[in-house]
Amino acid sequence: MKSDALLDSAKKHLYGNYKPSPFVVERGKGCELFDVDGKRCLDLAAGVAVSSVGHAHPVLVKAIAEQAAKVIHASNYYFNEPNIRLAEELCKRTGFDRAFFCNSGAEANEALLKAARHHFYARGDKRQRVIAFHNAFHGRTMGALSMTGTPKYREGFGEMGPVTHVAYGDLDEVKRAMGADVAAVIVEPVQGEGGVFVAPKGFLAGLRALCNENGALLLIDEVQTGVGRLGRFLGHDGMGVKADAIALAKGLAGGVPIGAMLTTEALAGALPPGTHGSTFGGNPLACSASLAVLKILDDEKLVSGAKEKGEALGKMLDALVSEFPQVCEGARGDGLLRGLVLQKGFVARDVLPRILQLGVMLTAAGERVLRFSPPLVVSVAELEEGASVLRKVLGELQAKTQAGAAATV
Ligand code: PLP
């Protein structure tokens, strides 16, 4: 079917909670996506930081096909080998002791929240409150939503569990919000959805110290930052901070739905049998896909590559900021999670259609940030292609701004 016919049908039959661009994806290869009419687009978004090893990576395709031919699902009433091997592999790479698998980032964060509250409940401690951050994004299910720090996402959904939101990066505010009723603090190493805000140096270590002083747990949401995106396996690696539990998802299985909660041994009993679970979580298909992704990350040195290519991308974005000061306020990010911040008055999502028309996929983060979160297999030449399309679009915006300013003189 051609695009037009499919888009007509989509208008009639798809639920209206999304506002997709009129590009009907048919297939992909590496960082390229093609629509049903054969139009090519350079994918520098990887969905939203998901397609970590690019599209149709042969090793991932083979692993999925081979596992599908054996068994896709068998439930958590039984064990399966890919699930056990993935748990072992993730524990080995991260230093955590236990893995619980689910199907998305929101579910991984629900597991963190439930584990934290139940850990204290089981000790007769009534702590329930969570400290989270303004602009944080933890997902759309009710528990994850309660911790998400952008009011517009929570509006209209009624009462939310006890969560206090404070300024990201402000340890004094966290200190003031702390109390004997706080079960946990949840934090992202870089706030991706909120606008690509990088945690200030020492912030996570400061949170760890405040949690220790107050008997609260530190939960780190690595859904967007984990699995190599920042040029290290976990976003908080190298910060000298050990969380009590972390959430992973997005890039973990290269696009096959998966989420994971990793915990220390101290939290291993927080959710005993019957308190939590997931029908699809930990299925052999998703776990095999994830094992293949981890192998590709190693074989192709994609984690260290994300650091180098991220630095190259950072320079390209800095150059655009200098070139178009009337349109760009700055650039920020870490590894292959970077944002070009537009000046006040611009709305990032309104700029995306023109970028797409010129053959590049990016996403918006927060109100004014054009976000790059490409597959980790991206080449520097592909990043340059993205930057050159952006140069054209920023040039058009700057020309419009100048014409507008001239008209008002
Ligand atoms: N946590 C973070 C940091 C995210 O960036 C996201 C999604 O963007 C989520 C959680 C929610 O993940 P999902 O959409 O898979 O539920």
Short mmCIF file of all heavy atoms in Angstrom, two decimals, residues 326-327 346 395-409:
data_model
loop_
_atom_site.label_atom_id
_atom_site.label_comp_id
_atom_site.label_asym_id
_atom_site.label_seq_id
_atom_site.Cartn_x
_atom_site.Cartn_y
_atom_site.Cartn_z
N GLN A 326 21.18 33.95 16.49
CA GLN A 326 19.82 34.45 16.71
C GLN A 326 18.80 33.33 16.88
O GLN A 326 17.70 33.55 17.35
CB GLN A 326 19.40 35.35 15.54
CG GLN A 326 20.08 36.70 15.60
CD GLN A 326 19.89 37.44 14.30
OE1 GLN A 326 20.55 37.15 13.30
NE2 GLN A 326 18.97 38.38 14.30
N VAL A 327 19.19 32.14 16.45
CA VAL A 327 18.26 31.00 16.53
C VAL A 327 18.67 30.03 17.64
O VAL A 327 17.82 29.40 18.26
CB VAL A 327 18.23 30.24 15.17
CG1 VAL A 327 17.20 29.13 15.19
CG2 VAL A 327 17.92 31.20 14.03
N PHE A 346 11.22 30.01 19.99
CA PHE A 346 11.16 28.90 19.03
C PHE A 346 10.59 27.66 19.73
O PHE A 346 10.80 27.47 20.93
CB PHE A 346 12.55 28.56 18.49
CG PHE A 346 13.10 29.62 17.57
CD1 PHE A 346 14.01 30.56 18.04
CD2 PHE A 346 12.70 29.69 16.24
CE1 PHE A 346 14.51 31.54 17.19
CE2 PHE A 346 13.20 30.66 15.40
CZ PHE A 346 14.12 31.59 15.87
N GLY A 395 19.56 28.20 9.04
CA GLY A 395 19.77 29.34 8.15
C GLY A 395 18.43 29.93 7.73
O GLY A 395 18.25 31.16 7.73
N GLU A 396 17.49 29.06 7.39
CA GLU A 396 16.15 29.54 7.00
C GLU A 396 15.49 30.27 8.17
O GLU A 396 14.89 31.33 7.99
CB GLU A 396 15.28 28.35 6.58
CG GLU A 396 15.71 27.71 5.26
CD GLU A 396 15.02 26.37 4.96
OE1 GLU A 396 14.16 25.93 5.76
OE2 GLU A 396 15.35 25.76 3.93
N LEU A 397 15.63 29.68 9.37
CA LEU A 397 15.00 30.32 10.55
C LEU A 397 15.65 31.67 10.85
O LEU A 397 14.98 32.64 11.17
CB LEU A 397 15.13 29.40 11.77
CG LEU A 397 14.27 28.13 11.78
CD1 LEU A 397 14.60 27.28 13.00
CD2 LEU A 397 12.78 28.47 11.78
N GLN A 398 16.99 31.71 10.69
CA GLN A 398 17.69 32.98 10.98
C GLN A 398 17.29 34.05 9.96
O GLN A 398 17.07 35.20 10.33
CB GLN A 398 19.21 32.77 10.99
CG GLN A 398 19.95 34.06 11.32
CD GLN A 398 21.13 33.83 12.27
OE1 GLN A 398 20.99 33.20 13.32
NE2 GLN A 398 22.28 34.35 11.90
N ALA A 399 17.15 33.64 8.70
CA ALA A 399 16.74 34.59 7.66
C ALA A 399 15.35 35.13 7.99
O ALA A 399 15.09 36.34 7.88
CB ALA A 399 16.76 33.91 6.29
N LYS A 400 14.46 34.24 8.41
CA LYS A 400 13.08 34.66 8.77
C LYS A 400 13.11 35.62 9.94
O LYS A 400 12.40 36.62 9.98
CB LYS A 400 12.25 33.43 9.15
CG LYS A 400 11.35 32.94 8.03
CD LYS A 400 10.34 31.96 8.59
CE LYS A 400 10.20 30.79 7.63
NZ LYS A 400 9.64 29.60 8.22
N THR A 401 13.95 35.29 10.95
CA THR A 401 14.06 36.14 12.14
C THR A 401 14.55 37.52 11.75
O THR A 401 14.02 38.54 12.21
CB THR A 401 15.06 35.51 13.15
OG1 THR A 401 14.72 34.15 13.31
CG2 THR A 401 15.04 36.20 14.48
N GLN A 402 15.58 37.55 10.87
CA GLN A 402 16.13 38.85 10.46
C GLN A 402 15.09 39.65 9.66
O GLN A 402 14.94 40.85 9.86
CB GLN A 402 17.40 38.65 9.63
CG GLN A 402 18.59 38.33 10.53
CD GLN A 402 19.76 37.69 9.79
OE1 GLN A 402 19.64 37.31 8.63
NE2 GLN A 402 20.88 37.55 10.48
N ALA A 403 14.35 38.94 8.78
CA ALA A 403 13.33 39.62 7.97
C ALA A 403 12.25 40.19 8.89
O ALA A 403 11.80 41.32 8.73
CB ALA A 403 12.71 38.64 6.97
N GLY A 404 11.88 39.39 9.93
CA GLY A 404 10.86 39.83 10.89
C GLY A 404 11.33 41.05 11.64
O GLY A 404 10.61 42.03 11.81
N ALA A 405 12.62 41.02 12.07
CA ALA A 405 13.18 42.14 12.83
C ALA A 405 13.23 43.38 11.94
O ALA A 405 12.88 44.49 12.38
CB ALA A 405 14.57 41.78 13.33
N ALA A 406 13.62 43.18 10.67
CA ALA A 406 13.71 44.32 9.74
C ALA A 406 12.32 44.93 9.53
O ALA A 406 12.16 46.16 9.50
CB ALA A 406 14.29 43.87 8.41
N ALA A 407 11.30 44.05 9.45
CA ALA A 407 9.94 44.53 9.20
C ALA A 407 9.41 45.36 10.36
O ALA A 407 8.58 46.25 10.18
CB ALA A 407 9.01 43.34 8.94
N THR A 408 9.92 45.06 11.56
CA THR A 408 9.40 45.79 12.73
C THR A 408 10.20 47.07 13.02
O THR A 408 9.87 47.81 13.91
CB THR A 408 9.39 44.90 13.98
OG1 THR A 408 10.71 44.39 14.17
CG2 THR A 408 8.39 43.75 13.87
N VAL A 409 11.30 47.29 12.28
CA VAL A 409 12.13 48.50 12.52
C VAL A 409 11.38 49.72 12.01
O VAL A 409 10.76 49.70 10.97
CB VAL A 409 13.50 48.36 11.82
CG1 VAL A 409 14.25 49.70 11.86
CG2 VAL A 409 14.33 47.30 12.49
#
